[in-house]
Amino acid sequence: MSAMPFPARPEKPRVGLFVTCLVDLMRPSVGFAAVKLLEDAGCTVEAPVQTCCGQPAYNSGDRGTTRDLAMRMIEAFQGYDYVVAPSGSCAGMIKAHYPELFEEDPNWRAKADALATKTYELTSFLVDVLGVTKVDASFNGAVTYHDSCSGLRELKVKTQPRRLLASVEGLTLVEMKDSDVCCGFGGTFAVKYSDISGAIVEAKAKNIEEAQAPTVLAGDLGCLMNMAGKLSRDGRPVQVRHVAEVLAGMTDEPPIGAAKADAIK
Amino acid sequence: MTVHSTSPQFKQNAARALNDDQLQKALGNVKQGFIDKRQMAADKLPEFEALRDSARDIKNHTLEHLDLYLEAYEEKVKASGGHVHFARDAAEARDIILSICRETGAKTVTKGKSMISEEIGINHHLEANGITPVETDLGEYIIQLRGELPSHIIAPAVHLNATQVEEDFRRVHTHLDAKRDLSEPVQLLTEARAVLRERFLAADVGITGANFLVAETGTSIIVTNEGNGDLTQILPKTHIVLASIEKLVPTLEDVSQLLRVLARSATGQELSVYTTFSTGPRRSTDADGPENYHVVILDNGRSSMLGTAFEEMLRCIRCGACMNHCPVYHAVGGHAYGWVYPGPMGAVLTPSLIGVDKAGHLPNASTFCGRCESVCPVRIPLPKLMRHWREREFERHLTPATVRSGLQLWGFFAKRPALYRFATRAAMGALALAGRQRGRFAWLPMAKGWTKYRDFPAPQGETFQQRWTRERKGARA
Ligand code: SF4
């Protein structure tokens, strides 16, 4: 990636929220939690009309469609100081992969670089860019945290969510075994190679339960849906939430894969 | 084609592996041992990450000038009294080796561990021509008795347990007392050693692989932990080194850098127990060594990877770290990959060597978790290269029709934001309504692969963009 001079941070940064497909469709409350966190940290947040970053096409080998979608994303988010996503995988797509999509097109390459430079995963944006050290939230009980792969390895998201969680009143973090090992989601992999994916997520579900925290958190909805679906299928009583919900103190909605009634008990 | 491949049946292989309790237990050992040991070794060496950079650079430099280094290497080997043979493909390599064996009048051939010998299927070829090959690495010896391929590039029999090995030894070593005690692993080791010692002494030719070939000196280098490689190359009259073109390294200084990352990445050792350098046949002043020294250098499709995106794969020093850290390998083991090279490195290399039409599943069967790349000592971007294979498959219409049409439909909506919002709003509303009671689905049409193993969480109902427009439109102006 070409080195870009780091722009000086504006007074009240204008942040374009890249909601991501899964949050948009499945769990909008995560998006609103992200908005609250960003606004509390002094940002102006907007959510331009958007669809998908193209990752499913990219990982299926369809570069043409990926490029088309990337161009739309680049245009949709042109005017913002920063672009923030409540997902390491989708932010990673833009940051680590958009530039190389346009290797042969200097004009678009420059635009892709510009977008890549200002795009962040939510917790890393809060901690690394805005210098947030604590959030205004409380949560009663222990949680364990799963490190989603792209965030961890492409964007080095590891300490940031933990630092913010440490500031949540009443919350204790218990580490599970192998928190940095893949949950077996892998996008279309979960469906195309469901036997293998099923075996990988089974091991993950076991490690989650053995941590003996009533709640598991992560920063990517794909992984969360995978883990929640496996935990409930295997009858392991652990609640599943996106880390942003807890950091924003917005845990009124039932956990992922649970009905309203489950949440109350 | 060389060794028969079951890569096209990857899914069936994987399903079988997942239901094999014994295998699953054996794979549990791969998971922890290798990973912890590598981590400890890396943590102990402050310059480990910097060494990985220089390892990458050394290999890149060599690949850029591979023709020059091959020539220089050949000159040096000749000068030291050895012979170099270039083999374009597996068949040529087999023929060259067979004719060397015939010239020597060989009846038995001992073999050190060599993945290239698996790649060209040399054992079978020698047997078919009346020559008995004997594997001398313990793991390789065991799988030879079983007629299997290695399931791991540095631990070929890692898929087996001691009881299975005991059964094989009792089945094959019929000249030994049937009532002997083999309940302890060390007893198995002792028995193998005793059996193999006789074979070492009887062998006419010894074939070893090479971890590195040094252009500067014409030296071939093997790293082993059992010492079997040394006996294989020193005792027989003729020593054949079998290696592929990417084993070249310019200088001994370069080798010393690569050795520092190799064993640490593989087994967590600082160095393996034996690191053996051999240069040419025995000289008059040498105490021992072979009379004849041959090097067979195999291409088998590798040179056509040079100058392409896949060139980076030729940096591989076969440490096995990528498979040791791979969740898919942990789940299904090495045999499911269906050919010689398993795990992430196999997922990239196998399509290059046997064709993506046959090995197409391999680069697809990855979550792209990136753990392999994060430990590869020569920093091969394995997920990126697997993605390149997916791109080639997509271009050549090898991607399954269901996936293609699904992608097309999704792409159609994703490129039309208004339509996307309209369609998703309706779909999510309906899905949320249907899933309201339980908050999840145990079964969904079109998502059988998902719901076979896990529930599908129900959506909240309204989409983010819908609610955002409703709540914030006014506030935004
Ligand atoms: S690809 Fe890298 S990690 Fe895997 S065997 Fe080769 S050198 Fe080792």
Side-chain angles (χ1 to χ4, degrees), chain B residues 153 316-322 345 376-378 380 382:
Chain B
I153 60 172
C316 177
I317 54 173
R318 304 289 189 270
C319 72
C322 53
M345 58 80 68
C376 175
V378 284
I380 299 175
L382 293 151

Side-chain angles (χ1 to χ4, degrees), chain A residues 12 15 17 31-40 43-48 250, chain B residues 462 464-477:
Chain A
K12 194 171 168 66
V15 170
L17 181 69
F32 284 91
V35 172
K36 172 166 190 296
L37 286 164
L38 291 166
E39 287 181 345
D40 284 358
C43 303
T44 310
V45 183
E46 289 174 36
M250 290 166 66
Chain B
E462 207 175 14
F464 177 90
Q465 298 194 72
Q466 202 179 347
R467 191 173 142 198
W468 180 262
T469 314
R470 184 165 59 74
E471 289 182 5
R472 297 280 185 122
K473 255 273 159 79
R476 248 198 321 168

Side-chain angles (χ1 to χ4, degrees), chain B residues 355-403:
Chain B
V356 71
D357 49 333
K358 293 196 190 67
H361 273 302
L362 274 39
N364 279 283
S366 163
T367 64
F368 282 164
C369 78
R371 212 175 173 207
C372 49
E373 180 177 356
S374 77
V375 295
C376 175
V378 284
R379 301 199 191 280
I380 299 175
L382 293 151
K384 176 174 143 188
L385 298 182
M386 288 184 230
R387 190 182 297 107
H388 278 317
W389 276 123
R390 297 184 190 185
E391 284 163 6
R392 307 255 164 132
E393 289 179 276
F394 190 86
E395 283 159 17
R396 290 177 51 191
H397 293 265
L398 294 171
T399 312
T402 45
V403 176

